[in-house]
Amino acid sequence: MTLHKDVMLDFAREARTGLNEAIFCAGKTVGHIAEILTQVRARGVHVLLTRLSAEQFAALPESHRAAIDYEPVSGTGFFGGAHEVTGESRVAVVAAGTSDVRVAREAARTLRYYGEASAEINDVGVAGLWRLLERIEEVRRLRVVIAVAGMDAALPTVIGGLVSAPVIGVPTSVGYGVAEGGRTALNAMLASCAPGLTVTNIDNGYGAACAALRILRALG
């Protein structure tokens, strides 16, 4: 198999949308990822890698590994660098539980790739509401909130009733039994009584960050 025939990168996407193509690594062979990175390097650009497992990262050629800022919790990598951070945090990335940090970190790393610092606030789920209330003034100061939660996924609704900023809910697959791999969390967020809550697909921290970036650019 000729690997380059399987790869057709969209180098014009950033010019069209303001967001360049990210490389979703789950399901790709190491050979395909290496070929993608070779093409990216030949163009002299950088790229965000998502869902890059530790095993995939370790199996890449050393010359590619050396060019990747890899973060194992989120499975994200910056190949060839990232945009420079130019200001203070404008986005709060709030995770209900420690088990949700993987998805929350994917959102935070995506924001960082595009030069947006974020305030990561973890383990403030509503089972211990005082934890969120202790940080709520910090959350209120920021322009966009990404709220990440599994199980009953009440956190985005609670935040949506406490802040005026846009809130993006990210259901996670954390939980068991009736949690159904995140479907209960997704349905709970979609049925939220907090008006204006935006909801992504299950575990889609990357998509939530992209939505936040579009909002920030619209706000100016």
PDB file of all heavy atoms in Angstrom, residues 20-61:
ATOM      1  N   ASN A  20      -7.280  25.443  11.542  1.00  0.00           N
ATOM      2  CA  ASN A  20      -6.659  24.515  10.610  1.00  0.00           C
ATOM      3  C   ASN A  20      -7.045  23.075  10.918  1.00  0.00           C
ATOM      4  O   ASN A  20      -7.560  22.768  12.000  1.00  0.00           O
ATOM      5  CB  ASN A  20      -5.133  24.698  10.584  1.00  0.00           C
ATOM      6  CG  ASN A  20      -4.467  24.374  11.899  1.00  0.00           C
ATOM      7  OD1 ASN A  20      -4.588  25.120  12.857  1.00  0.00           O
ATOM      8  ND2 ASN A  20      -3.760  23.267  11.948  1.00  0.00           N
ATOM      9  N   GLU A  21      -6.806  22.206   9.985  1.00  0.00           N
ATOM     10  CA  GLU A  21      -7.187  20.803  10.141  1.00  0.00           C
ATOM     11  C   GLU A  21      -6.453  20.179  11.321  1.00  0.00           C
ATOM     12  O   GLU A  21      -5.235  20.318  11.448  1.00  0.00           O
ATOM     13  CB  GLU A  21      -6.869  20.022   8.865  1.00  0.00           C
ATOM     14  CG  GLU A  21      -7.282  18.565   8.928  1.00  0.00           C
ATOM     15  CD  GLU A  21      -7.010  17.806   7.635  1.00  0.00           C
ATOM     16  OE1 GLU A  21      -6.289  18.336   6.764  1.00  0.00           O
ATOM     17  OE2 GLU A  21      -7.510  16.679   7.501  1.00  0.00           O
ATOM     18  N   ALA A  22      -7.196  19.495  12.173  1.00  0.00           N
ATOM     19  CA  ALA A  22      -6.587  18.697  13.242  1.00  0.00           C
ATOM     20  C   ALA A  22      -6.518  17.255  12.773  1.00  0.00           C
ATOM     21  O   ALA A  22      -7.361  16.806  11.989  1.00  0.00           O
ATOM     22  CB  ALA A  22      -7.400  18.807  14.522  1.00  0.00           C
ATOM     23  N   ILE A  23      -5.540  16.530  13.273  1.00  0.00           N
ATOM     24  CA  ILE A  23      -5.359  15.138  12.879  1.00  0.00           C
ATOM     25  C   ILE A  23      -5.912  14.234  13.971  1.00  0.00           C
ATOM     26  O   ILE A  23      -5.352  14.155  15.073  1.00  0.00           O
ATOM     27  CB  ILE A  23      -3.873  14.821  12.617  1.00  0.00           C
ATOM     28  CG1 ILE A  23      -3.277  15.826  11.621  1.00  0.00           C
ATOM     29  CG2 ILE A  23      -3.722  13.396  12.117  1.00  0.00           C
ATOM     30  CD1 ILE A  23      -4.015  15.937  10.308  1.00  0.00           C
ATOM     31  N   PHE A  24      -7.036  13.587  13.686  1.00  0.00           N
ATOM     32  CA  PHE A  24      -7.651  12.628  14.606  1.00  0.00           C
ATOM     33  C   PHE A  24      -6.923  11.300  14.439  1.00  0.00           C
ATOM     34  O   PHE A  24      -7.023  10.655  13.385  1.00  0.00           O
ATOM     35  CB  PHE A  24      -9.139  12.503  14.269  1.00  0.00           C
ATOM     36  CG  PHE A  24      -9.896  11.533  15.125  1.00  0.00           C
ATOM     37  CD1 PHE A  24     -10.197  11.834  16.446  1.00  0.00           C
ATOM     38  CD2 PHE A  24     -10.332  10.323  14.604  1.00  0.00           C
ATOM     39  CE1 PHE A  24     -10.908  10.948  17.225  1.00  0.00           C
ATOM     40  CE2 PHE A  24     -11.051   9.427  15.388  1.00  0.00           C
ATOM     41  CZ  PHE A  24     -11.336   9.738  16.702  1.00  0.00           C
ATOM     42  N   CYS A  25      -6.173  10.890  15.450  1.00  0.00           N
ATOM     43  CA  CYS A  25      -5.253   9.755  15.297  1.00  0.00           C
ATOM     44  C   CYS A  25      -5.879   8.403  15.606  1.00  0.00           C
ATOM     45  O   CYS A  25      -5.345   7.372  15.163  1.00  0.00           O
ATOM     46  CB  CYS A  25      -4.026   9.968  16.189  1.00  0.00           C
ATOM     47  SG  CYS A  25      -3.052  11.415  15.727  1.00  0.00           S
ATOM     48  N   ALA A  26      -6.967   8.376  16.351  1.00  0.00           N
ATOM     49  CA  ALA A  26      -7.602   7.096  16.674  1.00  0.00           C
ATOM     50  C   ALA A  26      -8.029   6.414  15.377  1.00  0.00           C
ATOM     51  O   ALA A  26      -8.649   7.027  14.507  1.00  0.00           O
ATOM     52  CB  ALA A  26      -8.806   7.319  17.583  1.00  0.00           C
ATOM     53  N   GLY A  27      -7.681   5.149  15.233  1.00  0.00           N
ATOM     54  CA  GLY A  27      -8.046   4.396  14.041  1.00  0.00           C
ATOM     55  C   GLY A  27      -7.043   4.488  12.911  1.00  0.00           C
ATOM     56  O   GLY A  27      -7.144   3.746  11.934  1.00  0.00           O
ATOM     57  N   LYS A  28      -6.079   5.400  13.017  1.00  0.00           N
ATOM     58  CA  LYS A  28      -5.048   5.511  11.993  1.00  0.00           C
ATOM     59  C   LYS A  28      -3.856   4.629  12.354  1.00  0.00           C
ATOM     60  O   LYS A  28      -3.516   4.468  13.537  1.00  0.00           O
ATOM     61  CB  LYS A  28      -4.579   6.969  11.846  1.00  0.00           C
ATOM     62  CG  LYS A  28      -5.593   7.895  11.198  1.00  0.00           C
ATOM     63  CD  LYS A  28      -5.011   9.297  11.045  1.00  0.00           C
ATOM     64  CE  LYS A  28      -5.940  10.218  10.257  1.00  0.00           C
ATOM     65  NZ  LYS A  28      -7.236  10.438  10.918  1.00  0.00           N
ATOM     66  N   THR A  29      -3.205   4.093  11.356  1.00  0.00           N
ATOM     67  CA  THR A  29      -1.982   3.349  11.600  1.00  0.00           C
ATOM     68  C   THR A  29      -0.853   4.332  11.896  1.00  0.00           C
ATOM     69  O   THR A  29      -0.919   5.519  11.543  1.00  0.00           O
ATOM     70  CB  THR A  29      -1.582   2.501  10.385  1.00  0.00           C
ATOM     71  OG1 THR A  29      -1.221   3.372   9.301  1.00  0.00           O
ATOM     72  CG2 THR A  29      -2.739   1.590   9.936  1.00  0.00           C
ATOM     73  N   VAL A  30       0.193   3.838  12.524  1.00  0.00           N
ATOM     74  CA  VAL A  30       1.369   4.678  12.774  1.00  0.00           C
ATOM     75  C   VAL A  30       1.960   5.150  11.453  1.00  0.00           C
ATOM     76  O   VAL A  30       2.415   6.290  11.329  1.00  0.00           O
ATOM     77  CB  VAL A  30       2.409   3.906  13.609  1.00  0.00           C
ATOM     78  CG1 VAL A  30       3.720   4.683  13.690  1.00  0.00           C
ATOM     79  CG2 VAL A  30       1.869   3.636  15.000  1.00  0.00           C
ATOM     80  N   GLY A  31       1.905   4.296  10.431  1.00  0.00           N
ATOM     81  CA  GLY A  31       2.408   4.675   9.123  1.00  0.00           C
ATOM     82  C   GLY A  31       1.650   5.844   8.528  1.00  0.00           C
ATOM     83  O   GLY A  31       2.243   6.754   7.931  1.00  0.00           O
ATOM     84  N   HIS A  32       0.321   5.830   8.683  1.00  0.00           N
ATOM     85  CA  HIS A  32      -0.472   6.940   8.170  1.00  0.00           C
ATOM     86  C   HIS A  32      -0.168   8.238   8.926  1.00  0.00           C
ATOM     87  O   HIS A  32      -0.054   9.311   8.317  1.00  0.00           O
ATOM     88  CB  HIS A  32      -1.966   6.616   8.279  1.00  0.00           C
ATOM     89  CG  HIS A  32      -2.457   5.708   7.204  1.00  0.00           C
ATOM     90  ND1 HIS A  32      -3.196   4.583   7.464  1.00  0.00           N
ATOM     91  CD2 HIS A  32      -2.319   5.760   5.854  1.00  0.00           C
ATOM     92  CE1 HIS A  32      -3.495   3.971   6.333  1.00  0.00           C
ATOM     93  NE2 HIS A  32      -2.969   4.662   5.340  1.00  0.00           N
ATOM     94  N   ILE A  33      -0.052   8.140  10.246  1.00  0.00           N
ATOM     95  CA  ILE A  33       0.258   9.345  11.030  1.00  0.00           C
ATOM     96  C   ILE A  33       1.620   9.889  10.630  1.00  0.00           C
ATOM     97  O   ILE A  33       1.790  11.109  10.453  1.00  0.00           O
ATOM     98  CB  ILE A  33       0.220   9.027  12.541  1.00  0.00           C
ATOM     99  CG1 ILE A  33      -1.187   8.575  12.960  1.00  0.00           C
ATOM    100  CG2 ILE A  33       0.645  10.254  13.351  1.00  0.00           C
ATOM    101  CD1 ILE A  33      -1.253   8.014  14.366  1.00  0.00           C
ATOM    102  N   ALA A  34       2.597   9.013  10.451  1.00  0.00           N
ATOM    103  CA  ALA A  34       3.937   9.449  10.048  1.00  0.00           C
ATOM    104  C   ALA A  34       3.903  10.121   8.682  1.00  0.00           C
ATOM    105  O   ALA A  34       4.568  11.149   8.466  1.00  0.00           O
ATOM    106  CB  ALA A  34       4.896   8.263  10.039  1.00  0.00           C
ATOM    107  N   GLU A  35       3.127   9.584   7.755  1.00  0.00           N
ATOM    108  CA  GLU A  35       3.024  10.185   6.423  1.00  0.00           C
ATOM    109  C   GLU A  35       2.378  11.565   6.493  1.00  0.00           C
ATOM    110  O   GLU A  35       2.812  12.513   5.827  1.00  0.00           O
ATOM    111  CB  GLU A  35       2.215   9.274   5.490  1.00  0.00           C
ATOM    112  CG  GLU A  35       1.854   9.892   4.142  1.00  0.00           C
ATOM    113  CD  GLU A  35       3.064  10.270   3.301  1.00  0.00           C
ATOM    114  OE1 GLU A  35       4.142   9.670   3.482  1.00  0.00           O
ATOM    115  OE2 GLU A  35       2.919  11.181   2.458  1.00  0.00           O
ATOM    116  N   ILE A  36       1.341  11.694   7.332  1.00  0.00           N
ATOM    117  CA  ILE A  36       0.693  12.994   7.527  1.00  0.00           C
ATOM    118  C   ILE A  36       1.694  14.011   8.053  1.00  0.00           C
ATOM    119  O   ILE A  36       1.784  15.143   7.555  1.00  0.00           O
ATOM    120  CB  ILE A  36      -0.504  12.855   8.479  1.00  0.00           C
ATOM    121  CG1 ILE A  36      -1.645  12.105   7.785  1.00  0.00           C
ATOM    122  CG2 ILE A  36      -0.976  14.218   8.980  1.00  0.00           C
ATOM    123  CD1 ILE A  36      -2.737  11.633   8.733  1.00  0.00           C
ATOM    124  N   LEU A  37       2.465  13.610   9.051  1.00  0.00           N
ATOM    125  CA  LEU A  37       3.427  14.535   9.641  1.00  0.00           C
ATOM    126  C   LEU A  37       4.540  14.901   8.658  1.00  0.00           C
ATOM    127  O   LEU A  37       5.037  16.029   8.667  1.00  0.00           O
ATOM    128  CB  LEU A  37       4.011  13.933  10.918  1.00  0.00           C
ATOM    129  CG  LEU A  37       2.995  13.664  12.036  1.00  0.00           C
ATOM    130  CD1 LEU A  37       3.695  13.111  13.272  1.00  0.00           C
ATOM    131  CD2 LEU A  37       2.209  14.914  12.382  1.00  0.00           C
ATOM    132  N   THR A  38       4.907  13.973   7.816  1.00  0.00           N
ATOM    133  CA  THR A  38       5.903  14.257   6.779  1.00  0.00           C
ATOM    134  C   THR A  38       5.381  15.330   5.826  1.00  0.00           C
ATOM    135  O   THR A  38       6.108  16.266   5.457  1.00  0.00           O
ATOM    136  CB  THR A  38       6.247  12.979   6.003  1.00  0.00           C
ATOM    137  OG1 THR A  38       6.859  12.033   6.902  1.00  0.00           O
ATOM    138  CG2 THR A  38       7.202  13.273   4.852  1.00  0.00           C
ATOM    139  N   GLN A  39       4.104  15.226   5.449  1.00  0.00           N
ATOM    140  CA  GLN A  39       3.512  16.228   4.553  1.00  0.00           C
ATOM    141  C   GLN A  39       3.384  17.582   5.253  1.00  0.00           C
ATOM    142  O   GLN A  39       3.614  18.629   4.635  1.00  0.00           O
ATOM    143  CB  GLN A  39       2.153  15.749   4.058  1.00  0.00           C
ATOM    144  CG  GLN A  39       2.219  14.554   3.126  1.00  0.00           C
ATOM    145  CD  GLN A  39       0.876  14.244   2.488  1.00  0.00           C
ATOM    146  OE1 GLN A  39       0.010  15.096   2.358  1.00  0.00           O
ATOM    147  NE2 GLN A  39       0.701  12.994   2.075  1.00  0.00           N
ATOM    148  N   VAL A  40       3.014  17.563   6.517  1.00  0.00           N
ATOM    149  CA  VAL A  40       2.908  18.812   7.276  1.00  0.00           C
ATOM    150  C   VAL A  40       4.269  19.487   7.365  1.00  0.00           C
ATOM    151  O   VAL A  40       4.402  20.704   7.149  1.00  0.00           O
ATOM    152  CB  VAL A  40       2.335  18.539   8.681  1.00  0.00           C
ATOM    153  CG1 VAL A  40       2.454  19.774   9.570  1.00  0.00           C
ATOM    154  CG2 VAL A  40       0.876  18.105   8.588  1.00  0.00           C
ATOM    155  N   ARG A  41       5.302  18.700   7.661  1.00  0.00           N
ATOM    156  CA  ARG A  41       6.657  19.264   7.766  1.00  0.00           C
ATOM    157  C   ARG A  41       7.116  19.838   6.436  1.00  0.00           C
ATOM    158  O   ARG A  41       7.751  20.897   6.390  1.00  0.00           O
ATOM    159  CB  ARG A  41       7.615  18.171   8.249  1.00  0.00           C
ATOM    160  CG  ARG A  41       9.075  18.591   8.274  1.00  0.00           C
ATOM    161  CD  ARG A  41       9.924  17.536   8.944  1.00  0.00           C
ATOM    162  NE  ARG A  41       9.838  17.628  10.392  1.00  0.00           N
ATOM    163  CZ  ARG A  41      10.193  16.652  11.223  1.00  0.00           C
ATOM    164  NH1 ARG A  41      10.633  15.492  10.739  1.00  0.00           N
ATOM    165  NH2 ARG A  41      10.108  16.816  12.527  1.00  0.00           N
ATOM    166  N   ALA A  42       6.776  19.170   5.351  1.00  0.00           N
ATOM    167  CA  ALA A  42       7.190  19.655   4.030  1.00  0.00           C
ATOM    168  C   ALA A  42       6.552  21.008   3.716  1.00  0.00           C
ATOM    169  O   ALA A  42       7.134  21.818   2.982  1.00  0.00           O
ATOM    170  CB  ALA A  42       6.816  18.631   2.959  1.00  0.00           C
ATOM    171  N   ARG A  43       5.379  21.273   4.257  1.00  0.00           N
ATOM    172  CA  ARG A  43       4.706  22.552   4.064  1.00  0.00           C
ATOM    173  C   ARG A  43       5.220  23.636   5.008  1.00  0.00           C
ATOM    174  O   ARG A  43       4.880  24.809   4.856  1.00  0.00           O
ATOM    175  CB  ARG A  43       3.199  22.389   4.292  1.00  0.00           C
ATOM    176  CG  ARG A  43       2.457  21.654   3.195  1.00  0.00           C
ATOM    177  CD  ARG A  43       2.295  22.525   1.968  1.00  0.00           C
ATOM    178  NE  ARG A  43       1.429  21.910   0.986  1.00  0.00           N
ATOM    179  CZ  ARG A  43       0.327  22.458   0.494  1.00  0.00           C
ATOM    180  NH1 ARG A  43      -0.054  23.660   0.903  1.00  0.00           N
ATOM    181  NH2 ARG A  43      -0.386  21.840  -0.420  1.00  0.00           N
ATOM    182  N   GLY A  44       5.979  23.235   6.016  1.00  0.00           N
ATOM    183  CA  GLY A  44       6.508  24.203   6.966  1.00  0.00           C
ATOM    184  C   GLY A  44       5.455  24.775   7.893  1.00  0.00           C
ATOM    185  O   GLY A  44       5.576  25.924   8.335  1.00  0.00           O
ATOM    186  N   VAL A  45       4.422  23.985   8.198  1.00  0.00           N
ATOM    187  CA  VAL A  45       3.355  24.443   9.082  1.00  0.00           C
ATOM    188  C   VAL A  45       3.325  23.562  10.327  1.00  0.00           C
ATOM    189  O   VAL A  45       4.122  22.644  10.477  1.00  0.00           O
ATOM    190  CB  VAL A  45       1.989  24.427   8.362  1.00  0.00           C
ATOM    191  CG1 VAL A  45       1.988  25.431   7.221  1.00  0.00           C
ATOM    192  CG2 VAL A  45       1.642  23.030   7.848  1.00  0.00           C
ATOM    193  N   HIS A  46       2.404  23.863  11.231  1.00  0.00           N
ATOM    194  CA  HIS A  46       2.247  23.013  12.401  1.00  0.00           C
ATOM    195  C   HIS A  46       0.819  22.495  12.446  1.00  0.00           C
ATOM    196  O   HIS A  46      -0.063  22.979  11.725  1.00  0.00           O
ATOM    197  CB  HIS A  46       2.622  23.743  13.693  1.00  0.00           C
ATOM    198  CG  HIS A  46       1.986  25.087  13.855  1.00  0.00           C
ATOM    199  ND1 HIS A  46       0.698  25.272  14.293  1.00  0.00           N
ATOM    200  CD2 HIS A  46       2.482  26.339  13.642  1.00  0.00           C
ATOM    201  CE1 HIS A  46       0.424  26.560  14.353  1.00  0.00           C
ATOM    202  NE2 HIS A  46       1.485  27.245  13.955  1.00  0.00           N
ATOM    203  N   VAL A  47       0.585  21.490  13.303  1.00  0.00           N
ATOM    204  CA  VAL A  47      -0.716  20.843  13.317  1.00  0.00           C
ATOM    205  C   VAL A  47      -1.009  20.297  14.716  1.00  0.00           C
ATOM    206  O   VAL A  47      -0.090  19.946  15.467  1.00  0.00           O
ATOM    207  CB  VAL A  47      -0.768  19.709  12.266  1.00  0.00           C
ATOM    208  CG1 VAL A  47       0.067  18.503  12.700  1.00  0.00           C
ATOM    209  CG2 VAL A  47      -2.202  19.270  11.989  1.00  0.00           C
ATOM    210  N   LEU A  48      -2.296  20.234  15.046  1.00  0.00           N
ATOM    211  CA  LEU A  48      -2.749  19.654  16.310  1.00  0.00           C
ATOM    212  C   LEU A  48      -3.118  18.198  16.085  1.00  0.00           C
ATOM    213  O   LEU A  48      -3.871  17.872  15.155  1.00  0.00           O
ATOM    214  CB  LEU A  48      -3.964  20.428  16.827  1.00  0.00           C
ATOM    215  CG  LEU A  48      -4.697  19.841  18.034  1.00  0.00           C
ATOM    216  CD1 LEU A  48      -3.811  19.884  19.284  1.00  0.00           C
ATOM    217  CD2 LEU A  48      -6.010  20.589  18.286  1.00  0.00           C
ATOM    218  N   LEU A  49      -2.594  17.330  16.935  1.00  0.00           N
ATOM    219  CA  LEU A  49      -2.941  15.909  16.913  1.00  0.00           C
ATOM    220  C   LEU A  49      -3.882  15.625  18.073  1.00  0.00           C
ATOM    221  O   LEU A  49      -3.622  16.048  19.199  1.00  0.00           O
ATOM    222  CB  LEU A  49      -1.682  15.052  17.052  1.00  0.00           C
ATOM    223  CG  LEU A  49      -0.579  15.302  16.028  1.00  0.00           C
ATOM    224  CD1 LEU A  49       0.703  14.614  16.461  1.00  0.00           C
ATOM    225  CD2 LEU A  49      -1.000  14.819  14.662  1.00  0.00           C
ATOM    226  N   THR A  50      -4.974  14.904  17.808  1.00  0.00           N
ATOM    227  CA  THR A  50      -5.896  14.520  18.873  1.00  0.00           C
ATOM    228  C   THR A  50      -6.023  13.002  18.921  1.00  0.00           C
ATOM    229  O   THR A  50      -5.797  12.316  17.923  1.00  0.00           O
ATOM    230  CB  THR A  50      -7.295  15.136  18.669  1.00  0.00           C
ATOM    231  OG1 THR A  50      -7.905  14.578  17.494  1.00  0.00           O
ATOM    232  CG2 THR A  50      -7.213  16.654  18.539  1.00  0.00           C
ATOM    233  N   ARG A  51      -6.386  12.505  20.101  1.00  0.00           N
ATOM    234  CA  ARG A  51      -6.553  11.066  20.338  1.00  0.00           C
ATOM    235  C   ARG A  51      -5.324  10.272  19.875  1.00  0.00           C
ATOM    236  O   ARG A  51      -5.442   9.193  19.295  1.00  0.00           O
ATOM    237  CB  ARG A  51      -7.824  10.531  19.664  1.00  0.00           C
ATOM    238  CG  ARG A  51      -9.102  11.296  20.033  1.00  0.00           C
ATOM    239  CD  ARG A  51      -9.400  11.228  21.526  1.00  0.00           C
ATOM    240  NE  ARG A  51     -10.434  12.167  21.913  1.00  0.00           N
ATOM    241  CZ  ARG A  51     -11.740  11.866  21.967  1.00  0.00           C
ATOM    242  NH1 ARG A  51     -12.161  10.652  21.669  1.00  0.00           N
ATOM    243  NH2 ARG A  51     -12.611  12.782  22.357  1.00  0.00           N
ATOM    244  N   LEU A  52      -4.170  10.820  20.184  1.00  0.00           N
ATOM    245  CA  LEU A  52      -2.903  10.147  19.893  1.00  0.00           C
ATOM    246  C   LEU A  52      -2.514   9.324  21.118  1.00  0.00           C
ATOM    247  O   LEU A  52      -2.196   9.883  22.173  1.00  0.00           O
ATOM    248  CB  LEU A  52      -1.821  11.179  19.570  1.00  0.00           C
ATOM    249  CG  LEU A  52      -0.406  10.643  19.313  1.00  0.00           C
ATOM    250  CD1 LEU A  52      -0.380   9.808  18.032  1.00  0.00           C
ATOM    251  CD2 LEU A  52       0.601  11.802  19.222  1.00  0.00           C
ATOM    252  N   SER A  53      -2.550   8.013  20.997  1.00  0.00           N
ATOM    253  CA  SER A  53      -2.244   7.162  22.138  1.00  0.00           C
ATOM    254  C   SER A  53      -0.751   7.163  22.431  1.00  0.00           C
ATOM    255  O   SER A  53       0.074   7.473  21.553  1.00  0.00           O
ATOM    256  CB  SER A  53      -2.712   5.726  21.878  1.00  0.00           C
ATOM    257  OG  SER A  53      -1.894   5.105  20.895  1.00  0.00           O
ATOM    258  N   ALA A  54      -0.406   6.786  23.649  1.00  0.00           N
ATOM    259  CA  ALA A  54       1.004   6.699  24.028  1.00  0.00           C
ATOM    260  C   ALA A  54       1.725   5.671  23.166  1.00  0.00           C
ATOM    261  O   ALA A  54       2.899   5.851  22.820  1.00  0.00           O
ATOM    262  CB  ALA A  54       1.129   6.343  25.510  1.00  0.00           C
ATOM    263  N   GLU A  55       1.027   4.601  22.801  1.00  0.00           N
ATOM    264  CA  GLU A  55       1.629   3.557  21.970  1.00  0.00           C
ATOM    265  C   GLU A  55       1.904   4.081  20.560  1.00  0.00           C
ATOM    266  O   GLU A  55       2.968   3.814  19.982  1.00  0.00           O
ATOM    267  CB  GLU A  55       0.715   2.328  21.909  1.00  0.00           C
ATOM    268  CG  GLU A  55       0.560   1.580  23.225  1.00  0.00           C
ATOM    269  CD  GLU A  55      -0.338   2.291  24.228  1.00  0.00           C
ATOM    270  OE1 GLU A  55      -1.135   3.174  23.814  1.00  0.00           O
ATOM    271  OE2 GLU A  55      -0.257   1.953  25.430  1.00  0.00           O
ATOM    272  N   GLN A  56       0.954   4.835  19.996  1.00  0.00           N
ATOM    273  CA  GLN A  56       1.181   5.427  18.680  1.00  0.00           C
ATOM    274  C   GLN A  56       2.345   6.408  18.725  1.00  0.00           C
ATOM    275  O   GLN A  56       3.202   6.401  17.843  1.00  0.00           O
ATOM    276  CB  GLN A  56      -0.081   6.139  18.197  1.00  0.00           C
ATOM    277  CG  GLN A  56      -1.215   5.231  17.770  1.00  0.00           C
ATOM    278  CD  GLN A  56      -2.481   6.020  17.485  1.00  0.00           C
ATOM    279  OE1 GLN A  56      -2.845   6.925  18.235  1.00  0.00           O
ATOM    280  NE2 GLN A  56      -3.160   5.688  16.398  1.00  0.00           N
ATOM    281  N   PHE A  57       2.349   7.252  19.747  1.00  0.00           N
ATOM    282  CA  PHE A  57       3.419   8.239  19.867  1.00  0.00           C
ATOM    283  C   PHE A  57       4.778   7.563  19.942  1.00  0.00           C
ATOM    284  O   PHE A  57       5.729   7.969  19.254  1.00  0.00           O
ATOM    285  CB  PHE A  57       3.185   9.101  21.104  1.00  0.00           C
ATOM    286  CG  PHE A  57       4.296  10.066  21.397  1.00  0.00           C
ATOM    287  CD1 PHE A  57       4.515  11.161  20.575  1.00  0.00           C
ATOM    288  CD2 PHE A  57       5.130   9.872  22.489  1.00  0.00           C
ATOM    289  CE1 PHE A  57       5.561  12.051  20.833  1.00  0.00           C
ATOM    290  CE2 PHE A  57       6.170  10.756  22.753  1.00  0.00           C
ATOM    291  CZ  PHE A  57       6.386  11.849  21.928  1.00  0.00           C
ATOM    292  N   ALA A  58       4.887   6.520  20.763  1.00  0.00           N
ATOM    293  CA  ALA A  58       6.169   5.838  20.951  1.00  0.00           C
ATOM    294  C   ALA A  58       6.646   5.153  19.675  1.00  0.00           C
ATOM    295  O   ALA A  58       7.856   4.968  19.480  1.00  0.00           O
ATOM    296  CB  ALA A  58       6.051   4.816  22.080  1.00  0.00           C
ATOM    297  N   ALA A  59       5.725   4.768  18.798  1.00  0.00           N
ATOM    298  CA  ALA A  59       6.082   4.035  17.588  1.00  0.00           C
ATOM    299  C   ALA A  59       6.426   4.948  16.410  1.00  0.00           C
ATOM    300  O   ALA A  59       6.894   4.475  15.369  1.00  0.00           O
ATOM    301  CB  ALA A  59       4.938   3.100  17.192  1.00  0.00           C
ATOM    302  N   LEU A  60       6.211   6.252  16.543  1.00  0.00           N
ATOM    303  CA  LEU A  60       6.541   7.173  15.461  1.00  0.00           C
ATOM    304  C   LEU A  60       8.052   7.297  15.293  1.00  0.00           C
ATOM    305  O   LEU A  60       8.811   7.094  16.242  1.00  0.00           O
ATOM    306  CB  LEU A  60       5.948   8.552  15.756  1.00  0.00           C
ATOM    307  CG  LEU A  60       4.440   8.704  15.591  1.00  0.00           C
ATOM    308  CD1 LEU A  60       3.992  10.046  16.160  1.00  0.00           C
ATOM    309  CD2 LEU A  60       4.034   8.577  14.129  1.00  0.00           C
ATOM    310  N   PRO A  61       8.512   7.648  14.104  1.00  0.00           N
ATOM    311  CA  PRO A  61       9.958   7.883  13.915  1.00  0.00           C
ATOM    312  C   PRO A  61      10.453   8.946  14.886  1.00  0.00           C
ATOM    313  O   PRO A  61       9.745   9.907  15.197  1.00  0.00           O
ATOM    314  CB  PRO A  61      10.039   8.367  12.463  1.00  0.00           C
ATOM    315  CG  PRO A  61       8.832   7.797  11.801  1.00  0.00           C
ATOM    316  CD  PRO A  61       7.756   7.791  12.842  1.00  0.00           C
TER     317      PRO A  61
END
